[in-house]
Amino acid sequence: MYYTLAVLTALASSAAAVGNAVVVNKCSSTIYAWSVGSSVGTKQTIATGKNFTEPLHSDAKSGGIALKITTVDDGLYNGSPQQIFSYSLDGASVWYVYDLSTAFGEPFLGKRITVTSTGSPSIVWANGSNPGGSQVKVGVSGVDVVFTGCA
Ligand SMILES: *[C@@H]1O[C@H](CO)[C@@H](O)[C@H](O)[C@H]1NC(C)=O
Ligand SMILES: *[C@@H]1O[C@H](CO)[C@@H](O)[C@H](O)[C@H]1NC(C)=O
């Protein structure tokens, strides 16, 4: 992936503080999330109106982190559709890349889902289905990046 010098300079001059990755549940039922690097984190149970928040971080082995989200309890282990909100930081954690994909089906089919970060491009799947094209965006560290289910 290539970035212009102007973009890199703009990103490098912004705050170096690290923001959070947030999974917000605005759906009418509970959703579940796991933070996955080289190992799988504990199951996060996110009730309607709640969120799961973790500081943007890297994994020494996998590099990037995938937040795997299901609408079914223990969905990661029972083959349920997964929404995958992933991110990776550059070495200096000045900027990060985030994207949205699925595995084993589309858990939010028929529901609007978004990934937003103030000052950076949003990812919007109007009906929970991948609209096609690149879903990779660049965010600036120090700013939260927020996945919202049933946005
Ligand atoms: C996540 O939940 C906390 C605690 O309720 C709240 O303060 C925060 O604003 C929420 N974040 C988002 C992005 O909804
Ligand atoms: C979702 O929206 C896209 C674009 O509007 C459309 O092509 C697609 O058929 C829709 N899929 C479903 C399952 O509604």
Side-chain angles (χ1 to χ4, degrees):
M1 200 174 296
Y2 297 92
Y3 302 101
T4 66
L5 189 58
V7 168
L8 289 175
T9 304
L11 294 173
S13 62
S14 61
V18 173
N20 298 308
V22 186
V23 176
V24 176
N25 180 14
K26 290 191 177 170
C27 297
S28 55
S29 49
T30 300
I31 65 173
Y32 306 86
W34 292 259
S35 180
V36 180
S38 54
S39 62
V40 180
T42 52
K43 178 176 78 177
Q44 304 295 332
T45 299
I46 310 168
T48 301
K50 302 292 188 193
N51 67 65
F52 165 65
T53 300
E54 70 173 15
L56 290 165
H57 65 284
S58 299
D59 181 273
K61 287 188 194 137
S62 67
I65 303 295
L67 287 163
K68 299 191 174 183
I69 304 157
T70 71
T71 55
V72 173
D73 196 4
D74 292 329
L76 190 63
Y77 302 107
N78 61 24
S80 297
Q82 300 172 8
Q83 196 70 45
I84 305 172
F85 160 35
S86 51
Y87 64 86
S88 53
L89 300 170
D90 79 321
S93 301
V94 175
W95 50 265
Y96 57 86
V97 172
Y98 52 97
D99 69 30
L100 195 59
S101 60
T102 56
F104 308 113
E106 297 178 315
F108 293 97
L109 196 59
K111 306 277 184 6
R112 185 171 191 268
I113 56 177
T114 61
V115 181
T116 59
S117 187
T118 304
S120 299
S122 298
I123 301 172
V124 178
W125 291 15
N127 57 16
S129 202
N130 191 328
S134 172
Q135 300 300 310
V136 179
K137 310 290 181 193
V138 179
V140 179
S141 206
V143 177
D144 293 354
V145 57
V146 181
F147 168 87
T148 305
C150 308

